[in-house]
Amino acid sequence: MVSPLFLCIFAADMGKIIVAGIGPGSKEDITPAVLEAVREADAVVGYKYYFQFIEAYVKTDCECIDTGMKKERERAEQAFRLADQGKTVCVVSSGDAGLYGMAPLIYEMKRERVACGFPADIEVVTLPGISAFQKAASLLGAPIGHDVCLISLSDLMTPWNVIERRIKAAAVGDFVTAVYNPKSHGRYWQLYRLQELFLQERSVDTPVGYVRQAGREEQEVKVTTLGAFDPEDVDMFTVVLIGNSQSYVVDGKMITPRGYYREEKQEGVKPGQSIMMESFRTILSEMQHPDVPTWRLWPLLHAIHTTVDFNMEECLWMDDRATEILYNKVVDGSLKHIVTDVTMAASGIRKGALERLGIEVHCYINDPRSKQMAEQKGITRSQACMQLAAEEYPEALYVVGNAPTALFEICDLVRKGKMHPVGIIAAPVGFVHVCESKHAVKTLKQIPKIIVEGRKGGSNLAATLCNAILTFDDAEQLKPGRDL
């Protein structure tokens, strides 16, 4: 316990501690408020490396006390001893004093001292500084235009399992992430692990920027991607910035959009379109594997949007580049007709897109000829519909959302050379012969196909997959830097 006489001596003229961030390392990045604090200080306490940036501003009789690395507690204790003598003490940290700096330690030590009986009259003031990640961001362009997460990989005072949980949360949360203390002589694998964790949630094309010795003569600025990033190119003086799913690179600069252009684009957009666009953004953020090729992603977004079933990521099967190939057939005019097995599938195909592209949809389920043929041949009406379609539109896009017998008939007609579809969408739903019909369609090697595997499917799903093909040019908006 501290004696009453001791308390009286120190209560007479209590000092002040100013915890100041001096920026990342350039004199031009020190704020005027911090320079004024340094000029007025009776004593300056800090890591010896930082004194080169402020020595020109301290007054002649100022006591400068510098220490080596990992001496933070000693610096804090020295600052309180000087303040106990009635002095104004400036404790300097690089970057911002409150961000991995001295400010938290000073406040904790003050609380500890008060609990031990020391007077509480010493005033503590924190002055902000430009942080290393802010300086790095300005050199990289505008990578922190949206929500940002800061993570230190140093496990000196934080267990690695805690750090790893935070890394995973940042990756899943789609935060732009600034990485402090990425590497040191004794820590070399942690940055590799961070990259591995981010690649589980982010595209390999996610922009990554990193700056070494930001604001100093040795400054180096580099931009790459998450997949190409080499942790060996980083040291303890480097800050790494990982973009989010909307970040992109243009003219060598890393940009993370805030969303202003999205607001402008949506002026004049119909309410239904706006809701669908917002739904697509939500789906993208919740998909397990959003970094698939655009020709696969675009139909997936439509399928999940229609069914609210993220298992579509697993059961939607496509031939390589099927969506792109079929859309090119729309563009070159070889896809002019669509045949559906039921009217519900036909009614779900976008009328505006059909009119714009000059495509006709045909369904024979209510055609009297199909009923008559089915009765005469002893086959299902769906089979009869496909036989009629083969006679009139053998090179159409065939869209099946209900009847597995229609799929079997298509396979039979193709093998007999009576039908030559430009493509097939196979999405019948049910329990009898559904899976088998889809297996059969897969054997048609030369025809681009989109198949909903297993028992799932339906006319609405078949129609939305058709719409994904007709609107594939809109998928350009999924590229980095573009909004849906």
Side-chain angles (χ1 to χ4, degrees):
M1 188 70 179
V2 180
S3 70
L5 178 60
F6 185 84
L7 294 177
C8 290
I9 293 172
F10 283 94
D13 187 14
M14 303 310 297
K16 177 180 181 180
I17 297 177
I18 303 172
V19 193
I22 63 170
S26 170
K27 294 178 181 178
E28 291 76 15
D29 290 327
I30 305 176
T31 69
V34 170
L35 289 177
E36 186 62 26
V38 170
R39 291 189 184 101
E40 294 181 358
D42 299 312
V44 177
V45 178
Y47 173 42
K48 57 186 178 182
Y49 180 82
Y50 303 144
F51 276 77
Q52 61 182 304
F53 305 114
I54 60 170
E55 58 188 1
Y57 306 101
V58 298
K59 59 187 181 183
T60 306
D61 58 346
C62 177
E63 185 178 359
C64 294
I65 303 170
D66 58 359
T67 60
M69 290 184 67
K70 300 180 182 180
K71 300 290 184 181
E72 289 86 359
R73 282 191 65 90
E74 289 87 339
R75 290 200 288 273
E77 290 167 352
Q78 182 65 48
F80 276 103
R81 283 195 291 270
L82 293 168
D84 285 338
Q85 299 170 22
K87 295 182 178 181
T88 297
V89 185
C90 187
V91 179
V92 293
S93 288
S94 66
D96 179 84
L99 181 60
Y100 307 123
M102 289 291 293
L105 175 57
I106 294 292
Y107 279 100
E108 285 186 294
M109 189 169 287
K110 178 180 178 179
R111 183 184 66 173
E112 184 181 273
R113 282 163 52 90
V114 171
C116 291
F118 281 84
D121 295 343
I122 292 179
E123 181 184 4
V124 176
V125 176
T126 303
L127 295 180
I130 296 173
S131 66
F133 90 92
Q134 289 174 304
K135 180 67 175 181
S138 68
L139 295 167
L140 289 165
I144 56 173
H146 217 297
D147 298 334
V148 180
C149 179
L150 311 180
I151 296 177
S152 170
L153 297 192
S154 173
D155 56 0
L156 291 175
M157 288 174 282
T158 306
W160 175 255
N161 66 317
V162 174
I163 296 172
E164 184 159 316
R165 287 205 306 271
R166 292 171 180 172
I167 293 170
K168 291 176 181 177
V172 171
D174 199 30
F175 285 95
V176 176
T177 304
V179 184
Y180 275 71
N181 303 309
K183 198 174 179 183
S184 69
H185 296 301
R187 290 184 297 104
Y188 59 89
W189 58 266
Q190 286 86 345
L191 189 56
Y192 283 96
R193 178 58 175 158
L194 178 141
Q195 182 183 28
E196 179 183 3
L197 292 171
F198 263 78
L199 282 171
Q200 293 174 7
E201 304 294 338
R202 306 278 183 91
S203 165
V204 294
D205 296 323
T206 301
V208 172
Y210 51 109
V211 180
R212 183 179 184 277
Q213 296 282 25
R216 301 172 186 172
E217 291 183 4
E218 307 92 336
Q219 175 180 291
E220 296 178 42
V221 181
K222 297 183 180 180
V223 176
T224 183
T225 63
L226 187 59
F229 174 60
D230 182 5
E232 292 299 326
D233 199 28
V234 168
D235 63 15
M236 64 188 297
F237 299 106
T238 307
V239 174
V240 181
L241 282 165
I242 304 171
N244 67 14
S245 61
Q246 297 300 304
S247 301
Y248 62 98
V249 176
V250 60
D251 296 330
K253 296 295 184 180
M254 187 173 164
I255 315 297
T256 299
R258 181 69 178 88
Y260 297 107
Y261 280 97
R262 181 177 69 241
E263 293 173 2
E264 289 182 11
K265 287 175 187 175
Q266 291 196 352
E267 291 180 7
V269 174
K270 295 179 180 179
Q273 286 178 295
S274 177
I275 293 170
M276 185 173 183
M277 291 173 185
E278 187 61 33
S279 296
F280 277 15
R281 279 190 286 273
T282 302
I283 292 167
L284 269 171
S285 69
E286 296 184 22
M287 285 177 63
Q288 290 294 315
H289 306 288
D291 56 340
V292 295
T294 306
W295 58 263
R296 176 169 174 77
L297 180 59
W298 191 242
L300 266 175
L301 288 172
H302 281 75
I304 296 171
H305 179 255
T306 297
T307 62
V308 198
D309 183 0
F310 281 87
N311 284 332
M312 285 294 143
E313 287 194 74
E314 305 301 326
C315 63
L316 192 61
W317 184 95
M318 305 177 210
D319 282 307
D320 187 45
R321 297 174 51 243
T323 316
E324 180 184 346
I325 291 169
L326 288 170
Y327 178 72
N328 288 338
K329 291 181 181 294
V330 172
V331 174
D332 67 23
S334 57
L335 198 169
K336 282 296 183 182
H337 299 277
I338 298 173
V339 174
T340 68
D341 62 331
V342 290
T343 54
M344 187 177 293
S347 64
I349 301 173
R350 294 182 187 174
K351 302 302 183 289
L354 293 170
E355 292 175 7
R356 173 171 55 87
L357 298 169
I359 296 174
E360 296 180 353
V361 177
H362 312 277
C363 181
Y364 293 85
I365 198 69
N366 293 321
D367 190 316
R369 293 177 296 168
S370 64
K371 182 179 180 181
Q372 183 180 9
M373 181 184 292
E375 291 174 349
Q376 289 176 348
K377 294 185 175 183
I379 59 177
T380 68
R381 188 178 297 189
S382 296
Q383 288 175 285
C385 289
M386 295 304 109
Q387 290 186 20
L388 287 172
E391 294 174 5
E392 298 182 358
Y393 304 105
E395 297 181 352
L397 169 64
Y398 280 78
V399 180
V400 179
N402 183 70
T405 56
L407 277 186
F408 279 124
E409 191 64 29
I410 289 171
C411 292
D412 188 51
L413 291 166
V414 170
R415 290 182 177 280
K416 290 177 179 178
K418 296 181 178 181
M419 181 188 285
H420 311 282
V422 297
I424 299 172
I425 294 176
V429 62
F431 299 93
V432 180
H433 303 312
V434 170
C435 297
E436 295 89 335
S437 69
K438 296 171 182 178
H439 294 320
V441 171
K442 281 187 180 180
T443 66
L444 305 179
K445 300 297 184 183
Q446 304 305 315
I447 302 171
K449 301 170 292 296
I450 300 177
I451 302 172
V452 181
E453 294 188 300
R455 296 172 172 176
K456 295 181 178 181
S459 298
N460 59 339
L461 187 51
T464 200
L465 293 172
C466 187
N467 290 333
I469 293 168
L470 300 181
T471 63
F472 187 60
D473 55 332
D474 289 339
E476 280 288 315
Q477 298 176 73
L478 295 176
K479 291 183 177 180
R482 302 285 299 275
D483 283 298
L484 295 173

